[in-house]
Amino acid sequence: ILFSMREYTKAMEAAQEATDFDEDKKHTAEIESLMQKCAAALYTERSQETEEQALARAMKDPEVAQIMSDPIMQSILQQAQQDPASLADHMKSPMIAQKIRKLVAAGIIKTR
């Protein structure tokens, strides 16, 4: 429903949450497919944004603003700029992983 409403970020968050509940991995392919569709739609939607525009848009979300003002997250993001592979270690913490996924969905953290 969120995807059809063009709420791609919220749809990605819901799909990510669905993976937590899909303990038997019966819906993995369907969830991954939806996440890929959301990512493609977001990429298309944001392809013309500058980094400044992306940051301004993302900071309108109170949750993103809170994450970005957290000193621990600021430290993690600075470390990730110097060593992108360090994010993999931080993703082991469910709370940090959730915040990082939120920043990815908001376009603050770019993935390839």
Side-chain angles (χ1 to χ4, degrees):
I1 293 170
L2 292 168
F3 183 84
S4 65
M5 293 172 53
R6 295 191 171 139
E7 295 283 348
Y8 306 123
T9 302
K10 290 179 183 177
M12 284 185 79
E13 290 170 0
Q16 183 60 48
E17 191 174 331
T19 62
D20 298 338
F21 290 100
D22 187 25
E23 294 175 358
D24 296 335
K25 308 292 183 211
K26 292 180 180 178
H27 305 283
T28 300
E30 181 182 357
I31 293 168
E32 287 178 359
S33 174
L34 176 61
M35 290 183 75
Q36 289 174 357
K37 284 174 50 176
C38 291
L42 282 170
Y43 178 79
T44 300
E45 188 175 84
R46 298 175 180 170
S47 64
Q48 302 301 315
E49 278 185 340
T50 65
E51 286 189 32
E52 293 80 21
Q53 290 170 325
L55 182 59
R57 176 193 37 75
M59 292 300 283
K60 291 178 184 176
D61 180 335
E63 189 177 353
V64 170
Q66 181 183 18
I67 293 169
M68 293 299 289
S69 66
D70 179 348
I72 293 171
M73 286 303 297
Q74 287 178 0
S75 175
I76 289 169
L77 293 173
Q78 287 176 347
Q79 182 183 13
Q81 282 184 325
Q82 297 168 359
D83 179 17
S86 69
L87 275 181
D89 288 334
H90 293 295
M91 292 295 283
K92 293 175 184 171
S93 164
M95 187 181 345
I96 299 297
Q98 180 182 11
K99 291 178 179 183
I100 291 172
R101 284 193 299 267
K102 178 70 176 181
L103 295 179
V104 169
I108 301 289
I109 297 176
K110 305 276 191 247
T111 60
R112 292 183 189 158

